[in-house]
Amino acid sequence: MKFKNFCLIFVAFAFFGCSSSNSVSRIDSSTQTDLSGYWNDTDVRIVAESLISQCVNAPAIAAFSYGKKRQPVVILGTFKNQSDEHIDTSILSKKFEIALLNSGKVDFVASSSERAEIRTERNEQQSFASESTAKSIGNETGADFMLIGAVKTIVDSISGQSARTYYVTAELIDIETNRKLWAGEDSSIKKLIKTPVYYRY
């Protein structure tokens, strides 16, 4: 009898254990998914494609290249998250950097967060690398422009549903003069989220 009860308990645990496990399936990376209604990879892709196209074709970049006979050098500044949710803006800013660099219209230098590691390596080369291969100090390329941006949200809600609109801005600033050479905005991401309302009787 005890053995039978033990078997029943074991089977029950096994059943509930299996039924509570996650089910995972692979999907195409371009598939649009909106599970929570919050900022996701599809939003990043839509906004990045829109703003990058605007930035690459900005008259300021063409004017600089024509006047200076070289491509402008850009440094990646901060993309601020000014929304009401957690957003990793580094993904958006990195997409900007990759697309602009690959466009062939601008050059990029390492950002402030990247430079520390590079400078450490360069300084160590002065002591440990051969004279013929050690890289010189004081030969860094200065940036002409800084690219910055922000993500903001406007939320309109009522019982059972809410509308979330995302405003993403990007700006290209002349480092020497602080002049804003280009500014772009994308507010095409708007979501209506309906939440079931349960009533107690």
Side-chain angles (χ1 to χ4, degrees):
M1 186 69 178
K2 289 182 179 180
F3 178 75
K4 183 178 180 181
N5 290 339
F6 173 78
C7 289
L8 290 173
I9 294 172
F10 177 79
V11 170
F13 273 110
F15 174 77
F16 286 112
C18 291
S19 63
S20 62
S21 61
N22 293 333
S23 174
V24 179
S25 58
R26 293 183 181 271
I27 59 176
D28 189 275
S29 59
S30 62
T31 301
Q32 180 172 322
T33 55
D34 279 295
L35 301 180
S36 65
Y38 291 104
W39 181 265
N40 59 36
D41 64 310
T42 301
D43 304 326
V44 172
R45 185 167 63 252
I46 293 172
V47 168
E49 288 175 355
S50 169
L51 288 177
I52 288 170
S53 175
Q54 296 178 42
C55 188
V56 166
N57 296 301
I61 293 179
F64 183 97
S65 299
Y66 179 80
K68 300 287 187 178
K69 307 304 179 185
R70 66 172 176 85
Q71 296 170 337
V73 179
V74 180
I75 187 170
L76 190 62
T78 303
F79 270 64
K80 297 180 180 179
N81 175 19
Q82 298 177 331
S83 71
D84 66 332
E85 63 184 85
H86 172 72
I87 294 177
D88 186 353
T89 56
S90 66
I91 299 174
L92 181 61
S93 60
K94 183 56 70 172
K95 279 186 173 291
F96 259 94
E97 182 179 7
I98 293 171
L100 289 175
L101 186 58
N102 291 341
S103 73
K105 294 186 177 181
V106 302
D107 290 327
F108 263 88
V109 292
S111 66
S112 57
S113 61
E114 296 167 330
R115 284 198 301 262
E117 185 175 0
I118 298 170
R119 286 173 178 169
T120 297
E121 169 61 22
R122 189 183 302 118
N123 288 330
E124 289 185 353
Q125 285 188 12
Q126 309 311 307
S127 301
F128 303 108
S130 65
E131 185 177 348
S132 61
T133 61
K135 302 304 177 285
S136 302
I137 294 176
N139 284 333
E140 294 184 13
T141 299
D144 301 301
F145 305 153
M146 176 176 283
L147 180 67
I148 63 173
V151 181
K152 303 177 182 180
T153 52
I154 291 180
V155 181
D156 184 21
S157 60
I158 195 172
S159 179
Q161 64 180 13
S162 61
R164 305 182 66 84
T165 305
Y166 294 87
Y167 289 88
V168 183
T169 58
E171 299 173 325
L172 205 57
I173 299 174
D174 187 309
I175 293 177
E176 186 171 18
T177 64
N178 284 339
R179 288 174 57 230
K180 292 188 177 183
L181 305 174
W182 168 82
E185 178 194 68
D186 187 287
S187 57
S188 62
I189 307 299
K190 188 169 185 176
K191 303 180 182 183
L192 180 63
I193 307 166
K194 296 183 178 181
T195 305
V197 179
Y198 299 98
Y199 298 96
R200 288 188 175 183
Y201 296 97

